[in-house]
Amino acid sequence: MIRALLSTISFVIATLIGSLLAVMCLPIDRTGDLVLALARLWPRVILSVPGVKLEVTMRARLDPARPYVFMANHASMVDIWAVFVTIPASFRFIAKKQLARIPLFGWAMSAGRFIFIDRQNPLAARRSMDEAARRIRSGQSVVIFPEGTRTRTGRLLPFKKGGFHLAIASGATIVPCGIRGSRAVWPKGSPLIHAGAIHVEVGEPISTAGLTDDDRDALLERVRGQILAMTTS
């Protein structure tokens, strides 16, 4: 209990310091790459305090020069930390707009050029996806949690279709990722971070070459099926 409390306190302190450093990067780095580098260090500090172990399984070799759309399940905020540590690519999250409003943390995400989406405004959401497609065509990968929010039960929620439209429109290959154990480390609604093991499985890439929006639902089911298999095995 004491260690869990200390872990939560260290998370708050590390997040405040990391966010301040990220905002300070803005005048000297308009690409956001320095913020991404900080973001990769941030979870290593946080996870070390409670003694969280991170295990990674790569099912295929990824081309570091090629952009991908990484899609992962979402059961805990810890999933974000796991992605930062394990995905070997330059990427940006597509995140809900509400995160941008969080003082310091949201400013840090903006400095890192993360992509915010307003799901309540279809026109604004379309502009965000167009920006994401432009980033992908320029060679930058993106990460999406297709459930759109964290599950409270641990069961995989229905997937939203926007990420699949993005992958098809940009011609990007989708990489399904399954994350296990994160909910036990920090469940949604809990104030404490606990010790535990998190396993991230980076699956086989799924090409979208030649697909159209008519294939979107079938693609969604294929990706969801792979993530379901990786998170229930």
Side-chain angles (χ1 to χ4, degrees):
M1 181 68 175
I2 294 176
R3 189 172 188 180
L5 181 59
L6 289 174
S7 300
T8 304
I9 293 171
S10 71
F11 158 71
V12 173
I13 294 172
T15 300
L16 286 173
I17 294 174
S19 297
L20 282 169
L21 290 174
V23 172
M24 290 169 63
C25 287
L26 186 58
I28 60 174
D29 177 31
R30 294 292 180 177
T31 67
D33 289 342
L34 283 177
V35 175
L36 181 63
L38 283 171
R40 292 191 191 278
L41 290 174
W42 170 56
R44 295 182 186 275
V45 173
I46 297 168
L47 296 176
S48 67
V49 176
V52 175
K53 296 180 179 179
L54 192 59
E55 303 167 349
V56 185
T57 300
M58 299 288 294
R59 294 298 179 191
R61 185 186 296 272
L62 301 181
D63 182 352
R66 183 178 180 180
Y68 297 96
V69 174
F70 294 91
M71 295 191 178
N73 59 301
H74 198 18
S76 168
M77 184 172 176
V78 181
D79 300 325
I80 298 172
W81 306 342
V83 166
F84 274 131
V85 174
T86 60
I87 290 184
S90 176
F91 67 86
R92 297 296 185 272
F93 276 104
I94 296 180
K96 57 186 179 183
K97 185 180 179 181
Q98 289 87 338
L99 292 177
R101 299 171 183 161
I102 301 175
L104 278 183
F105 183 74
W107 305 340
M109 291 185 70
S110 296
R113 301 193 72 231
F114 292 90
I115 302 165
F116 297 105
I117 184 167
D118 183 356
R119 297 193 183 96
Q120 306 304 315
N121 185 330
L123 182 60
R126 181 59 183 267
R127 285 198 295 266
S128 297
M129 285 302 185
D130 288 346
E131 170 62 14
R134 187 191 67 76
R135 300 274 194 95
I136 291 169
R137 295 189 190 102
S138 71
Q140 187 174 86
S141 296
V142 299
V143 176
I144 298 174
F145 293 120
E147 293 165 278
T149 189
R150 287 170 285 168
T151 175
R152 285 189 176 273
T153 64
R155 299 181 64 179
L156 200 62
L157 299 174
F159 281 10
K160 297 185 181 298
K161 297 181 180 181
F164 299 91
H165 173 78
L166 168 65
I168 292 171
S170 63
T173 295
I174 296 174
V175 181
C177 301
I179 305 173
R180 301 194 303 272
S182 63
R183 184 168 172 266
V185 170
W186 198 2
K188 185 174 182 178
S190 171
L192 299 177
I193 304 171
H194 302 276
I198 300 170
H199 186 83
V200 180
E201 186 171 346
V202 181
E204 295 276 352
I206 297 174
S207 174
T208 63
L211 299 185
T212 69
D213 262 355
D214 291 337
D215 304 301
R216 183 177 58 185
D217 290 349
L219 178 64
L220 183 154
E221 291 302 324
R222 182 181 176 188
V223 172
R224 191 176 188 278
Q226 287 204 22
I227 293 176
L228 182 62
M230 288 189 285
T231 54
T232 56
S233 60

